[in-house]
Amino acid sequence: MLNALDSEMNAMVGRKPLEGRSAIVTGSTSGIGLAIAQALARAGAAVMLNGFGVAAEIEALRAELAEENDVDVVYDCADMSSRDAIRMMVERANARFGQIDIVVNNAGVQHVAPIGEFPAEKWDAILAINLSAAFHLVQATFDGMCGRNYGRIINVASAHGLVASPFKSAYVAAKHGMVGFTKTIALEGAEFGVTSNAICPGYVWTPLVEHQIDDQAKSHNIPRDAVIRDVFLKDQPSRRFATVEEMGALAVFLCGDLAASITGAAIPVDGGWTAH
Ligand code: NAD
């Protein structure tokens, strides 16, 4: 009896926390999504990558992640602005992994302009990719999670899901919507072991931020270094960019058993920005 217990304990010691779980991470060819996909794979989860980029570079990323962590990693090129593409991505993930336990809605785009000049097509695209995609993906995976009594939905919102900034009407609207959606799904999933939480990063240095620097410089009519100091880090009391690794670590924690009671939360990772 003692021996059987010992060998079970030994097996458990070598076990990674998310072994046997499978995840879809949208927008994971770059930035925060990539770091979350890497962290989940390191924790033992099989991962479906998604997002845009150079095919050969994405394949190199996929192969490296699979080999280094000894997990199944696949890539799907679904465009998050297309409901049909999202449905097909879920079908392919189910066919490959058998089930989907973790969904990370991370894909996002940004456009910065005063409301009078904000292009309507940018509004539509931002709402579709940053908000509606999460609805379609959760709708296609939620019942399966509930049926198995385990599920983790992580929505990468933003500090802009909690507070606003000028010139970002569509982004702020979509991210506030994401936080509300997160809470609703938390209530619907609570008794079935399915949690739903939003990660709300402050500024994290990624290609998305890099692209905004020039847009902001134009909108505010100031140079790039002034944008970094006086716009990006002005309200972030830590005076440093948050890191993609911090996002990955939080995502892994939220997927674990010890986070079973954390649901419906919008968790700021913003160096104190939204504590103002
Ligand atoms: P990023 O530009 O580095 O990555 C965005 C990812 O989304 C890429 O993989 C890209 O290919 C993918 N993507 C874009 N459009 C897509 C589409 N139509 N279909 C599928 N994939 C698509 O950006 P990031 O900074 O890593 O941002 C990731 C998420 O984090 C976004 O939702 C963003 O709003 C949020 N966020 C970022 C910051 C920050 O400071 N970087 C702060 C708060 C929130």
Side-chain angles (χ1 to χ4, degrees), residues 59 96 104 134 169 181 184 204 207 252 257 263:
E59 172 49 24
R96 177 76 175 213
V104 182
S169 52
F181 178 64
T184 303
V204 187
V252 168
D257 293 340
T263 193

Side-chain angles (χ1 to χ4, degrees), residues 26-34 50-53 58 76-82 105-110 125 128-130 133 156-160 171 175 178 199-212 232 236 241-242 244 247 269 273:
T26 70
S28 47
T29 52
S30 162
I32 293 170
L34 175 58
N50 157 262
F52 301 146
I58 295 173
D76 195 284
C77 65
D79 182 340
M80 290 300 110
S81 64
S82 159
N105 289 299
N106 167 80
V109 290
Q110 171 66 287
I129 296 163
N130 295 21
V156 180
S158 169
H160 282 124
Y171 188 83
K175 295 300 189 181
M178 187 78 133
I199 295 179
C200 298
Y203 283 111
V204 187
W205 191 276
T206 68
L208 184 130
V209 164
E210 177 59 37
H211 293 143
Q212 280 182 67
F232 284 84
Q236 199 147 300
F241 286 92
V244 295
M247 309 304 151
V269 190
W273 175 4

